[in-house]
Structures are given as C-alpha cells and as structure tokens.
C-alpha cells in the first residue's frame, strides 16, 4: 500500500482523538534514514504524535502518544496513548486498542526509535534489507499493556513487523486549510496534465504552429533549469538541455527556442520554451532587444551584446515577422528565496518589460522558483507547498512587486538535487506550463 495518510485515515484518527485534526509529517524512515538519532532530532519536543507502520503484507497499524518524544526518561505512563489498526491485508479494518491501567507503556531513550509496550520499532541504526525494514517484533500486540481483545500479532500484522516504511506525524488541532487549492498528488493527475499539454494545438486560424513562451529572469533564478525540468518530465529521467548552475554572470548568452519531444509519439510538442540572457546589473539585456524579441525580429541563437542592441543588419534579423514569430506568453522567473532582496535595477527592468507587454497585449505570469529554500517543510515534501505560510508570503510579495494578480504566480521547484523524477515536482511544473499555454490562447484571441 502507499505510504502516506489518506483522507479516510485522517478522519478515523480524528474520530479516535475526539476532534478534527490535521497531521504534519515529521519523520519518514525511507526518507530520513533508520537511525534513532535522526528520529529524535526530528520528533522530540514537538507535541503529540501518531506513529504509522506500513507492513509488507499491506497491514497498516501504529500508536498514538499524547506527550512529546524525548531522548531520556525511560518508561513513562501516558494514559491517553492507544494503539490502532487501519488496514488488514489491504482491506480497511479500523480498530482502536486503548491502554490498560498500567504504570508504564511508552519508552523514552536516545538509542531507540518510537517504542510502545506491545509495539516496538528499532534501536540504534536499522538498514533496509531487500525491500523492507525488519522492525523489532518481540511482544508485538501481545495484549499486555493495550487492550487488543481478540486481536493479536497474527491478525493485525500477519505475525511479523517487517515494514516498507514508518512515519511519525505531529498531531495538530483543527482542519488544515490550504492558501490555494492543491492538486491531487497522484500519478493520474500528472498523466492528465501530460495528456492536455501533449494534445494542445495553437490557434489554427492564425496559422501558428507552436506557442512561443519567453522565460525572463535574474541571473540564477532558474530559467534554464525550467527548460531542463520540463524536458526531464517528458523524457522520463533527469536531463540537461540547457546549461544551468551558479555563475557570476549569465550562463545563457544567446536567445534559444527549445522544442520538447514526446518520446511516446516521436513528435515535438506544440510549444517552444524561449530562453534568453539573464538579467544582471550593468550587463542587462538592452530594452531594444527585448522589444525586438517580443515582436518576433530576433532569430534563434542570436547572441546578446550588453553593450549594443540588435539592428536590422544583424544576421538573421527577421524584418517582417508574422504572428508565429512573436512571443505569445511571457514568464517572469523569480527566485522566491530572495525576492525580499532583489536588486532595485532588476525590479525596474522587470517592470519596464511588463509595460512593453501591456502595450502588446502579451500575457504575463510568474514562475516562483526555489520554494524548497523558502520553506523547510516544502524541502522535505513538495506537496506541502499550498499549506506553507512561508510560500504564501513569498507569492504575495512577488505579486506585489510585479503588481499582478496572485493567481498569476505559480510556485514551482526545478529538478536540481534530485536523481530521479518525483510526481509532486512534476505536477507543479506542468500545472504552471498548462496555464502558460492557456494564456497564449488569450493572446491569440486578442489578435483576431
């Protein structure tokens, strides 16, 4: 079974706790490693928690602690603690096992992971063997300290405590409300987005074969990484079409229109991601070049000269561009982690470009990058993005600085430290790309 709490699980746990609750993931053994040290680092002194065991036979069970985990204290008594079962051999089978009248039922020790009487996890360091973690099974659901009634280790856990994952969630009162409606974080959502983008066709009446999406942003904001992220999603593995990374000056020096190929069909998708030199202080792109870009005069692979703009005599200069040569949507790429300290000259340049877009009726949106640096919870789990007050605050700040609606600012995370694709990261990127394509349709309608 999938290793995460489902809506049904949350409702059931809330029912046992006697109030509406939401649950924040603190520790996940497959993500954070199987060490007691790491468990205590992430879970101590946080408040009440639930620990979830995901058994290899699709049994899901765990324990509730009403106090905070601690590195020391030995055996303690928690009269509000209980053990529980959620699934039995994949089937929904909720059972709550209340603590008996006993002197001690939970163990605090720096060398142990979460440890309840009748339900233990691990001590010291535990490594994954084959596809599971072999947790301690001694005294498993023995009906000594928790009232399991007719249930035992065999009926609850198939007689063993081997798990594919173990999670510890902080229990917080009240239902959690997102600041923006989140997507359903499932592979089906990702496939639906890919289907929409893969079948997208630009305006036929205007004879436009591909949508041109221009990426504009400060050096280091992640423009080129967006190209790599989108290409990686379609390729199915991490790829690098464009140079990306840290540098004193822009790694991108030329105007490049990137096509993305769909391997399933062997054809190119109906949009081009247009990358340009990053904005930077004295080496900024000339306003004349920006205007030429928007109007379709600048040829592919044109190399920007910070000292002088293009002219009609520039090799490849398109003297009579048509609508297919123009930019149809502009995306400002802004680093959400440093929007508070974005240089005044960069802000002014972005606002100047915005004025050019207004004159030309070209839609504008923002991809806010590096949200993992804005919020540590998002760094651990990108699906927390629409619950993060830090990300919300940065989105609000970006919208205020650029003076656009907040709904036009899309928080995303580029593939940067990941070695493989992740559903959540891909969903955020494709949701933003889908909106850029929809904005291009507004541009075409304004040309009709």
């Amino acid at each position: 079974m999938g290793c995460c709490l489902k809506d049904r699980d949350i409702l059931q746990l809330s029912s046992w706790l006697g109030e509406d609750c939401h649950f924040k993931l603190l520790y996940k053994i497959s993500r954070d490693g199987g060490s007691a040290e790491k468990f205590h680092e992430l879970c101590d002194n946080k408040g009440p928690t639930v620990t979830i065991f995901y058994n290899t036979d699709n049994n899901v069970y765990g324990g509730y602690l009403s106090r905070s985990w601690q590195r020391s204290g030995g055996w303690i008594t928690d009269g509000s603690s209980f053990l529980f079962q959620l699934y039995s051999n994949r089937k929904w089978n909720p059972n709550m096992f209340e603590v008996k009248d006993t002197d001690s039922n939970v163990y605090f020790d720096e060398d142990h992971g979460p440890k309840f009487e009748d339900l233990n996890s691990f001590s010291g360091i535990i490594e994954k063997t084959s596809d599971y973690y072999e947790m301690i099974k001694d005294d498993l659901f023995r009906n000594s300290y928790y009232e399991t009634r007719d249930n035992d280790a065999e009926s609850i856990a198939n007689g063993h405590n081997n798990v594919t994952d173990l999670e510890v969630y902080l229990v917080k009162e009240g239902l959690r409300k997102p600041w923006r409606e989140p997507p359903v974080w499932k592979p089906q959502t990702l496939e639906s987005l890919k289907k929409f983008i893969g079948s997208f066709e630009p305006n036929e009446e205007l004879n436009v074969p591909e949508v041109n999406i221009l990426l504009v942003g400060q050096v280091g904001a992640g423009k080129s990484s967006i190209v790599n992220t989108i290409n990686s999603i379609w390729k199915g593995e991490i790829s690098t079409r464009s140079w990306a990374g840290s540098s004193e000056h822009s790694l991108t020096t030329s105007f490049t229109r990137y096509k993305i190929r769909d391997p399933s069909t062997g054809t190119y998708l109906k949009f081009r991601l247009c990358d340009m030199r990053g904005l930077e202080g004295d080496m900024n792109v000339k306003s004349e070049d920006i205007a030429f870009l928007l109007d379709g005069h600048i040829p592919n692979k044109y190399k920007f000269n910070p000292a002088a703009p293009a002219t009609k005599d520039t090799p490849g200069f398109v003297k009579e561009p048509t609508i297919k040569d123009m930019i149809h949507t502009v995306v400002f790429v802004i680093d959400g982690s440093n929007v508070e300290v974005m240089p005044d000259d960069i802000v002014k340049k972005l606002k100047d470009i915005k004025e050019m877009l207004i004159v030309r009726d070209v839609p504008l949106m923002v991809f806010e990058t590096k949200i993992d640096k804005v919020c540590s919870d998002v760094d651990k789990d990108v699906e927390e993005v629409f619950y993060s007050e830090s990300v919300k605050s940065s989105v609000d700040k970006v919208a205020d600085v650029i003076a656009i609606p907040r709904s036009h600012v899309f928080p995303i995370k580029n593939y940067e430290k990941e070695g493989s694709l992740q559903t959540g990261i891909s969903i955020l990127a494709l949701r933003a790309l889908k909106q850029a394509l929809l904005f291009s349709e507004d541009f075409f309608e304004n040309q009709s």
Side-chain angles (χ1 to χ4, degrees):
M1 294 187 65
C3 297
C4 64
L5 284 178
K6 301 176 176 60
D7 290 342
R8 180 164 58 175
D9 307 333
I10 292 171
L11 289 173
Q12 182 62 69
L13 288 168
S14 295
S15 175
W16 287 331
L17 292 168
E19 60 184 340
D20 289 333
C21 298
H22 63 274
F23 300 83
K24 177 183 176 182
L25 183 63
L26 298 177
Y27 172 76
K28 184 178 179 71
I29 194 169
S30 62
R31 179 191 71 189
D32 302 314
S35 80
E37 173 66 28
K38 193 66 176 180
F39 158 70
H40 285 290
E41 175 190 332
L42 297 176
C43 300
D44 282 6
N45 302 306
K46 294 297 174 63
T49 56
V50 290
T51 301
I52 313 288
F53 293 70
Y54 297 92
N55 183 289
T56 56
D57 288 333
N58 295 306
N59 303 298
V60 179
Y61 46 84
Y64 167 72
L65 174 68
S66 69
R67 299 171 55 174
S68 293
W69 288 105
Q70 302 290 342
R71 291 177 180 269
S72 61
W75 286 108
I76 62 98
T77 300
D78 181 2
S80 298
S81 172
F82 60 85
L83 302 184
F84 58 85
Q85 176 186 31
L86 292 173
Y87 296 86
S88 176
N89 296 314
R90 195 182 292 272
K91 295 181 180 179
W92 177 243
N93 186 36
N95 281 295
M96 174 184 176
F97 310 123
E98 294 181 329
V99 66
K100 295 182 178 181
D101 185 12
T102 181
D103 291 335
S104 60
N105 57 309
V106 180
Y107 191 64
F108 291 164
D109 185 83
E110 64 181 356
D111 292 327
H112 283 80
K115 181 176 181 179
F116 302 84
E117 282 282 17
D118 298 349
L119 179 59
N120 201 348
S121 59
F122 64 91
S123 61
I125 296 175
I126 183 172
E127 299 289 348
K128 194 172 188 179
T129 57
S130 298
D131 296 323
Y132 62 86
Y133 299 89
E134 188 174 350
M135 298 287 167
I136 297 170
K137 66 177 181 179
D138 295 346
D139 302 326
L140 183 64
F141 293 112
R142 60 177 174 169
N143 195 29
S144 295
Y145 292 81
Y146 292 88
E147 186 60 68
T148 57
R149 300 178 296 279
D150 295 332
N151 298 284
D152 58 16
E154 188 64 38
S155 63
I156 296 172
N158 284 27
H160 65 85
N161 203 17
N162 299 332
V163 303
T164 57
D165 218 335
L166 178 143
E167 296 173 337
V168 179
Y169 289 87
L170 176 65
V171 179
K172 305 185 77 171
E173 295 181 1
L175 295 177
R176 196 164 62 149
K177 295 182 179 180
W179 56 268
R180 181 180 293 175
E181 187 66 27
V184 177
W185 303 101
K186 292 184 177 180
Q188 296 93 315
T189 302
L190 179 59
E191 289 306 311
S192 176
L193 287 166
K194 292 180 72 173
K195 183 178 179 180
F196 175 91
I197 295 169
S199 61
F200 180 85
E201 293 284 347
N203 191 295
E204 294 182 0
E205 295 179 1
L206 297 175
N207 194 29
V208 178
E210 299 157 325
V211 170
N212 296 321
I213 302 171
L214 178 63
L215 305 175
V216 180
Q218 184 182 0
V219 170
K223 291 188 300 83
S224 300
S225 293
I226 289 173
V227 175
N228 294 334
T229 293
I230 299 299
N231 190 69
S232 296
I233 293 170
W234 250 271
K235 191 174 181 179
E237 56 188 3
I238 301 299
S239 66
T240 175
R241 289 282 302 280
S242 177
W243 272 101
S246 301
S247 178
E248 181 180 358
H249 299 295
S250 178
L251 291 173
T252 303
T253 58
S254 302
F255 173 65
T256 305
R257 301 175 189 257
Y258 288 97
K259 292 184 175 184
I260 307 297
R261 186 190 296 272
D262 182 353
S264 66
T265 62
T267 60
Y268 288 104
L269 302 174
K270 300 296 184 176
F271 66 87
R272 292 184 287 188
L273 297 174
C274 304
D275 199 8
M276 58 171 279
R277 185 183 183 93
L279 305 181
E280 53 176 327
D282 295 336
M283 304 207 38
N284 250 335
V285 177
K286 297 296 183 182
S287 295
E288 296 92 333
D289 277 347
I290 298 292
F292 282 146
L293 264 179
L294 297 175
D295 295 336
H297 294 287
I298 297 295
N300 194 35
K301 300 301 182 181
Y302 165 76
K303 189 169 185 177
F304 293 96
N305 181 355
T311 69
K312 294 181 179 180
D313 296 325
T314 296
F317 188 89
V318 182
K319 296 181 178 179
E320 297 183 4
T322 63
I323 191 170
K324 69 180 179 65
D325 303 306
M326 299 176 183
I327 296 299
H328 308 132
T329 299
V330 170
V331 174
F332 285 176
V333 181
I334 295 180
D335 178 352
S337 67
N338 71 5
V339 63
E340 295 279 358
V341 295
M342 192 159 50
D344 291 340
D345 57 342
I346 299 298
V347 173
K348 183 180 184 304
K349 189 69 174 182
L350 292 173
K351 289 184 175 179
D352 289 345
I353 295 172
K354 178 188 168 186
E355 291 303 314
M356 296 182 193
L357 303 180
I358 292 173
V359 171
R360 292 166 172 79
D361 268 343
V362 177
L364 169 65
M365 61 188 299
V366 172
F367 288 3
E368 181 186 329
T369 60
K370 305 189 180 180
I371 55 175
D372 52 321
K373 295 183 178 179
V374 173
C375 176
S376 59
D377 289 340
V378 174
D379 183 31
K380 295 175 183 176
D381 182 1
V382 75
E383 295 178 15
E384 291 292 310
V385 58
F386 297 115
Y387 294 97
S388 168
E389 287 299 319
S390 298
V391 174
K392 178 184 182 297
S393 178
S394 66
V395 166
D396 290 346
K397 181 64 176 178
V398 168
D400 289 341
V401 168
I402 306 301
I404 60 173
R406 282 152 180 73
S407 60
H408 292 190
V409 181
F410 286 75
I412 68 169
K413 183 189 181 312
N414 285 317
Y415 284 108
E416 185 264 329
K417 62 184 178 182
E418 295 75 19
S420 59
L421 300 186
Q422 296 181 13
T423 299
I425 294 176
S426 297
I427 286 175
L428 282 181
L430 292 196
R431 275 185 22 132
L433 175 59
K434 176 182 177 180
Q435 193 60 56
L437 295 175
L438 292 174
F439 274 14
S440 73
E441 290 186 331
D442 296 334
F443 173 81
F444 296 135
E445 288 181 10
N446 288 340
Q447 311 306 309
S448 302

